[in-house]
Structures are given as C-alpha cells and as structure tokens.
Amino acid sequence: MDATLAHRERDARTDRLLRDCLLLGTPERRPSARIRLEQAIGKDLARLLVMSLTARSNPR
C-alpha cells in the first residue's frame, strides 16, 4: 500500500473517531452516569445494581 494512501486512511479513521466522540457531548453537558443509569433501568434497580457491584469489589 502506498504510504500516502495509508496516511489518508489513518487520518479518515481518526477524524471519524473524533466526530463520534464529539457527538456524545462534553461531560459538563451530559447527565452523570448515575442519572443515565437510573433513566435506563429505573431508580430502584440502579440502586440495587450499584450496591451489588460495590459489595463485590469490597470484600469483607
């Protein structure tokens, strides 16, 4: 493959990744992970899930 062509393809992939990241918005503009989880699965289930995962990561 020609080096110039490889460089252009790499630039195109990098540009695509940057566009996709920008579509997600900046952290200041989107709701917190907790809020998004609650919106996706409900407040009660989100609380249980987080508690369960926290308990597994902190063995007694």
Side-chain angles (χ1 to χ4, degrees), residues 20-56:
D20 289 347
C21 290
L22 291 173
L23 286 174
L24 293 174
T26 59
E28 299 84 28
R29 293 181 57 203
R30 68 176 177 244
S32 70
R34 180 183 57 84
I35 298 294
R36 288 181 280 140
L37 181 62
E38 288 176 355
Q39 290 172 343
I41 64 174
K43 198 173 213 171
D44 291 336
L45 188 54
R47 183 181 53 79
L48 290 172
L49 176 62
V50 170
M51 286 175 47
S52 174
L53 292 172
T54 304
R56 289 183 192 167

